[in-house]
Amino acid sequence: MTGILGAGMSGLSAAYYALQNSKMAPIVIFEATNRVGGWVRSIELSDGTIFEQGPRTIRPSGASGKNTLELIEQLKLSDKIIPIRNIHPASKNRLIYSDNELHLLPSTFKGIIKKNSLLNRSLLSLVWNDLRAPKVLKDDESTYSFIERRMGQDVADKVISSMVCGIYAGDAHKISIKSLMKPLFDAEQKHGSIIKGIILEQLSKNKNKTTVRKKTETIKNDDTEINKQLDNNSHKSLVKTSQDDFWAMWGIKGGLEELPRSLAKNITERGVNIKMEHKCEKLKFNKNDVELTVNGEVKNYSRIISSLPAKSLANLVREQHPELSNELKDIPTVTVGVVNLQFSESVLPMKAFGVLIPPKEEKPILGVIFDSCAFPQNSKTTVLTVMMGGAWFEKYFGKCSSEEHLLTVAVNQVKEILHIEEDPKAFSVSILKDCIPQHIVGHMQRLTRIQNYISTHKLPLGLCGSSYQGVSLNDVILSAKQAVSDINSHIL
């Protein structure tokens, strides 16, 4: 019997993957709120406009991106996908607001070699900076420090700090480079330079591909052309389609919340019991089972998979496992204000994914997403999402800021930065408390200590969700798959 804590994307995904092993049944999910999906939430207005309070786009690249597309296909949601190709303005155009101006980040080779307005130098100069920078051996480092050393303070201040705001709503001076950009960190540690490392790794991959291709060619026969025709006529997977059509990202018709809804429907139809408004209050690990206290009632389970934020899990295990609890509670979180705005006219200065604001600008907002550019909802309406606060939420809004205050600030900032004169005709305001974990310097080492503790004490406990391997939707889904795999290895 398996108990899963939390019915957000990672908890639902864990149940989905757990169903592949009959020994994990029956499966029960405990959700403290009255809805599934966690931070993924889509609000539909009376005119059909979608306000996204959480993520709205997903990238198809990498192992985690491919895994999510495979899940989409298995859930029969392929026909609801809205692909955004790499030539789309929402893919090509990214803005940064600095020194009271909007700056377009280069997206072409010409733009890379040409001096740009944001840095007042070409991006090609970053290569020279990196090649000249000395190698520094470290276990980890802040993203800001790493980029400043290798590429320059202007890049760290204006580009990377903005990017960290967009991903973590966090401070680049605190976020771990090893967690955020492990390939870049490893490139310096192994090869002394980011550029050298990337080139050498790519050459190695190409060499391996060439070897595989040569071996394949030796076993081809005269039926090659027939096989090729059969392949072209056969059903293409969503992963293959995304590659062939050059998807940069994708969304879902009706909003991204369609994904957790469909996932919940799928697993409940296959026997998973989702108990809403059931808050876990305590975990106790016995020799042969786990005592789970929910709403004052104690029940026993063979294993537990937690998709709760690390700080919440820390409270549940503190009494019995204080060392584990301390490690978990030291993974901090930030609060983000989300303000969705709808304007009756086309009011944007240009088509783009959105604009990010570097912390050095001392603005109370992190950035603005141009939702209606990626997903047009009618010919005139403009839909924006303003992200606010994050690591600086208390600095700008205090501990008890009202939604009315956030709305006023958001509208004023959007008008100032994007030069919009019109007032919004519709809006939604949410304060997402402790919504994004911060993978600060030393995070990977902390995860190792947590896993070692669980393994040493033989706890039937799996961990998934944004507190651990990554904060994107792809990351949390893949973390659920990995947590189930880890638990399965103990069963076998």
Side-chain angles (χ1 to χ4, degrees), residues 239-260:
V239 170
K240 186 72 164 60
T241 300
S242 72
Q243 294 169 342
D244 291 348
D245 293 347
F246 303 102
W247 293 8
M249 48 191 164
W250 55 271
I252 297 181
K253 294 175 185 176
L256 209 57
E257 193 175 350
E258 181 65 25
L259 176 52

mmCIF file of all heavy atoms in Angstrom, residues 239-260:
data_model
loop_
_atom_site.group_PDB
_atom_site.id
_atom_site.type_symbol
_atom_site.label_atom_id
_atom_site.label_comp_id
_atom_site.label_asym_id
_atom_site.label_seq_id
_atom_site.Cartn_x
_atom_site.Cartn_y
_atom_site.Cartn_z
ATOM 1 N N VAL A 239 7.362 13.400 -29.479
ATOM 2 C CA VAL A 239 8.763 13.811 -29.354
ATOM 3 C C VAL A 239 9.368 14.046 -30.733
ATOM 4 O O VAL A 239 10.023 15.067 -30.982
ATOM 5 C CB VAL A 239 9.576 12.744 -28.590
ATOM 6 C CG1 VAL A 239 11.069 13.061 -28.669
ATOM 7 C CG2 VAL A 239 9.129 12.664 -27.137
ATOM 8 N N LYS A 240 9.127 13.110 -31.656
ATOM 9 C CA LYS A 240 9.669 13.240 -33.019
ATOM 10 C C LYS A 240 9.063 14.438 -33.734
ATOM 11 O O LYS A 240 9.761 15.197 -34.418
ATOM 12 C CB LYS A 240 9.367 11.956 -33.807
ATOM 13 C CG LYS A 240 10.002 11.904 -35.181
ATOM 14 C CD LYS A 240 11.505 11.700 -35.080
ATOM 15 C CE LYS A 240 12.114 11.251 -36.409
ATOM 16 N NZ LYS A 240 11.925 12.202 -37.509
ATOM 17 N N THR A 241 7.769 14.648 -33.541
ATOM 18 C CA THR A 241 7.097 15.791 -34.148
ATOM 19 C C THR A 241 7.694 17.098 -33.652
ATOM 20 O O THR A 241 7.937 18.026 -34.434
ATOM 21 C CB THR A 241 5.590 15.765 -33.840
ATOM 22 O OG1 THR A 241 5.023 14.577 -34.367
ATOM 23 C CG2 THR A 241 4.881 16.965 -34.443
ATOM 24 N N SER A 242 7.941 17.174 -32.359
ATOM 25 C CA SER A 242 8.502 18.403 -31.779
ATOM 26 C C SER A 242 9.890 18.693 -32.344
ATOM 27 O O SER A 242 10.261 19.854 -32.538
ATOM 28 C CB SER A 242 8.555 18.298 -30.254
ATOM 29 O OG SER A 242 9.557 17.393 -29.826
ATOM 30 N N GLN A 243 10.649 17.644 -32.614
ATOM 31 C CA GLN A 243 11.989 17.807 -33.176
ATOM 32 C C GLN A 243 11.921 18.197 -34.649
ATOM 33 O O GLN A 243 12.615 19.115 -35.097
ATOM 34 C CB GLN A 243 12.788 16.521 -33.002
ATOM 35 C CG GLN A 243 13.084 16.175 -31.551
ATOM 36 C CD GLN A 243 13.632 14.764 -31.381
ATOM 37 O OE1 GLN A 243 13.496 13.912 -32.253
ATOM 38 N NE2 GLN A 243 14.246 14.508 -30.232
ATOM 39 N N ASP A 244 11.087 17.509 -35.406
ATOM 40 C CA ASP A 244 10.981 17.768 -36.845
ATOM 41 C C ASP A 244 10.414 19.152 -37.138
ATOM 42 O O ASP A 244 10.779 19.788 -38.131
ATOM 43 C CB ASP A 244 10.095 16.709 -37.508
ATOM 44 C CG ASP A 244 10.749 15.335 -37.524
ATOM 45 O OD1 ASP A 244 11.965 15.254 -37.232
ATOM 46 O OD2 ASP A 244 10.045 14.348 -37.807
ATOM 47 N N ASP A 245 9.504 19.609 -36.276
ATOM 48 C CA ASP A 245 8.853 20.904 -36.497
ATOM 49 C C ASP A 245 9.504 22.042 -35.716
ATOM 50 O O ASP A 245 8.982 23.157 -35.684
ATOM 51 C CB ASP A 245 7.366 20.819 -36.127
ATOM 52 C CG ASP A 245 6.584 19.909 -37.062
ATOM 53 O OD1 ASP A 245 7.136 19.549 -38.129
ATOM 54 O OD2 ASP A 245 5.443 19.553 -36.743
ATOM 55 N N PHE A 246 10.611 21.744 -35.057
ATOM 56 C CA PHE A 246 11.400 22.770 -34.353
ATOM 57 C C PHE A 246 10.584 23.525 -33.298
ATOM 58 O O PHE A 246 10.549 24.750 -33.274
ATOM 59 C CB PHE A 246 12.008 23.760 -35.349
ATOM 60 C CG PHE A 246 12.872 23.121 -36.391
ATOM 61 C CD1 PHE A 246 12.393 22.918 -37.681
ATOM 62 C CD2 PHE A 246 14.152 22.687 -36.079
ATOM 63 C CE1 PHE A 246 13.188 22.312 -38.640
ATOM 64 C CE2 PHE A 246 14.956 22.082 -37.037
ATOM 65 C CZ PHE A 246 14.469 21.884 -38.323
ATOM 66 N N TRP A 247 9.945 22.749 -32.417
ATOM 67 C CA TRP A 247 9.233 23.404 -31.319
ATOM 68 C C TRP A 247 10.229 24.023 -30.353
ATOM 69 O O TRP A 247 11.234 23.419 -29.984
ATOM 70 C CB TRP A 247 8.405 22.398 -30.530
ATOM 71 C CG TRP A 247 7.256 21.792 -31.257
ATOM 72 C CD1 TRP A 247 6.935 21.915 -32.576
ATOM 73 C CD2 TRP A 247 6.265 20.921 -30.692
ATOM 74 N NE1 TRP A 247 5.821 21.177 -32.869
ATOM 75 C CE2 TRP A 247 5.383 20.560 -31.736
ATOM 76 C CE3 TRP A 247 6.044 20.413 -29.418
ATOM 77 C CZ2 TRP A 247 4.294 19.710 -31.529
ATOM 78 C CZ3 TRP A 247 4.976 19.566 -29.200
ATOM 79 C CH2 TRP A 247 4.104 19.223 -30.248
ATOM 80 N N ALA A 248 9.936 25.234 -29.921
ATOM 81 C CA ALA A 248 10.719 25.862 -28.860
ATOM 82 C C ALA A 248 10.048 25.634 -27.512
ATOM 83 O O ALA A 248 10.715 25.477 -26.486
ATOM 84 C CB ALA A 248 10.864 27.358 -29.118
ATOM 85 N N MET A 249 8.730 25.615 -27.527
ATOM 86 C CA MET A 249 7.937 25.362 -26.325
ATOM 87 C C MET A 249 6.519 25.031 -26.754
ATOM 88 O O MET A 249 6.201 25.081 -27.950
ATOM 89 C CB MET A 249 7.968 26.564 -25.367
ATOM 90 C CG MET A 249 7.691 27.888 -26.017
ATOM 91 S SD MET A 249 8.058 29.268 -24.919
ATOM 92 C CE MET A 249 8.095 30.633 -26.085
ATOM 93 N N TRP A 250 5.683 24.697 -25.802
ATOM 94 C CA TRP A 250 4.301 24.365 -26.128
ATOM 95 C C TRP A 250 3.390 24.640 -24.944
ATOM 96 O O TRP A 250 3.838 24.758 -23.808
ATOM 97 C CB TRP A 250 4.170 22.903 -26.573
ATOM 98 C CG TRP A 250 4.709 21.877 -25.615
ATOM 99 C CD1 TRP A 250 5.978 21.397 -25.562
ATOM 100 C CD2 TRP A 250 3.993 21.212 -24.560
ATOM 101 N NE1 TRP A 250 6.113 20.475 -24.547
ATOM 102 C CE2 TRP A 250 4.910 20.325 -23.921
ATOM 103 C CE3 TRP A 250 2.670 21.249 -24.116
ATOM 104 C CZ2 TRP A 250 4.537 19.517 -22.852
ATOM 105 C CZ3 TRP A 250 2.299 20.436 -23.040
ATOM 106 C CH2 TRP A 250 3.230 19.587 -22.431
ATOM 107 N N GLY A 251 2.109 24.768 -25.252
ATOM 108 C CA GLY A 251 1.093 24.938 -24.224
ATOM 109 C C GLY A 251 -0.075 24.019 -24.517
ATOM 110 O O GLY A 251 -0.005 23.157 -25.398
ATOM 111 N N ILE A 252 -1.179 24.193 -23.793
ATOM 112 C CA ILE A 252 -2.352 23.339 -23.951
ATOM 113 C C ILE A 252 -3.602 24.206 -24.119
ATOM 114 O O ILE A 252 -3.778 25.202 -23.399
ATOM 115 C CB ILE A 252 -2.532 22.407 -22.734
ATOM 116 C CG1 ILE A 252 -1.336 21.461 -22.613
ATOM 117 C CG2 ILE A 252 -3.823 21.594 -22.848
ATOM 118 C CD1 ILE A 252 -1.439 20.495 -21.448
ATOM 119 N N LYS A 253 -4.450 23.831 -25.061
ATOM 120 C CA LYS A 253 -5.714 24.536 -25.258
ATOM 121 C C LYS A 253 -6.534 24.497 -23.974
ATOM 122 O O LYS A 253 -6.679 23.450 -23.363
ATOM 123 C CB LYS A 253 -6.513 23.867 -26.391
ATOM 124 C CG LYS A 253 -5.864 23.977 -27.761
ATOM 125 C CD LYS A 253 -6.641 23.182 -28.794
ATOM 126 C CE LYS A 253 -5.919 23.192 -30.139
ATOM 127 N NZ LYS A 253 -6.605 22.332 -31.144
ATOM 128 N N GLY A 254 -7.044 25.653 -23.604
ATOM 129 C CA GLY A 254 -7.830 25.731 -22.377
ATOM 130 C C GLY A 254 -7.009 25.987 -21.137
ATOM 131 O O GLY A 254 -7.550 26.098 -20.036
ATOM 132 N N GLY A 255 -5.684 26.061 -21.312
ATOM 133 C CA GLY A 255 -4.811 26.336 -20.173
ATOM 134 C C GLY A 255 -4.081 25.106 -19.698
ATOM 135 O O GLY A 255 -4.525 23.969 -19.893
ATOM 136 N N LEU A 256 -2.947 25.321 -19.043
ATOM 137 C CA LEU A 256 -2.079 24.220 -18.638
ATOM 138 C C LEU A 256 -2.687 23.351 -17.543
ATOM 139 O O LEU A 256 -2.262 22.211 -17.334
ATOM 140 C CB LEU A 256 -0.724 24.781 -18.186
ATOM 141 C CG LEU A 256 0.485 23.865 -18.392
ATOM 142 C CD1 LEU A 256 0.628 23.473 -19.850
ATOM 143 C CD2 LEU A 256 1.747 24.558 -17.914
ATOM 144 N N GLU A 257 -3.705 23.862 -16.846
ATOM 145 C CA GLU A 257 -4.333 23.064 -15.789
ATOM 146 C C GLU A 257 -5.040 21.828 -16.360
ATOM 147 O O GLU A 257 -5.367 20.896 -15.632
ATOM 148 C CB GLU A 257 -5.321 23.905 -14.980
ATOM 149 C CG GLU A 257 -5.757 23.227 -13.688
ATOM 150 C CD GLU A 257 -6.640 24.103 -12.820
ATOM 151 O OE1 GLU A 257 -6.779 25.312 -13.104
ATOM 152 O OE2 GLU A 257 -7.216 23.568 -11.844
ATOM 153 N N GLU A 258 -5.232 21.827 -17.686
ATOM 154 C CA GLU A 258 -5.814 20.647 -18.323
ATOM 155 C C GLU A 258 -4.946 19.413 -18.082
ATOM 156 O O GLU A 258 -5.454 18.289 -18.007
ATOM 157 C CB GLU A 258 -5.956 20.899 -19.830
ATOM 158 C CG GLU A 258 -6.566 19.743 -20.613
ATOM 159 C CD GLU A 258 -8.006 19.448 -20.230
ATOM 160 O OE1 GLU A 258 -8.696 20.366 -19.735
ATOM 161 O OE2 GLU A 258 -8.441 18.287 -20.408
ATOM 162 N N LEU A 259 -3.632 19.614 -17.936
ATOM 163 C CA LEU A 259 -2.718 18.491 -17.709
ATOM 164 C C LEU A 259 -2.961 17.806 -16.364
ATOM 165 O O LEU A 259 -3.197 16.592 -16.326
ATOM 166 C CB LEU A 259 -1.266 18.956 -17.853
ATOM 167 C CG LEU A 259 -0.174 17.928 -17.557
ATOM 168 C CD1 LEU A 259 -0.389 16.643 -18.330
ATOM 169 C CD2 LEU A 259 1.201 18.518 -17.867
ATOM 170 N N PRO A 260 -2.917 18.517 -15.224
ATOM 171 C CA PRO A 260 -3.203 17.820 -13.958
ATOM 172 C C PRO A 260 -4.630 17.291 -13.865
ATOM 173 O O PRO A 260 -4.865 16.244 -13.259
ATOM 174 C CB PRO A 260 -2.925 18.882 -12.886
ATOM 175 C CG PRO A 260 -2.967 20.193 -13.587
ATOM 176 C CD PRO A 260 -2.493 19.924 -14.982
#
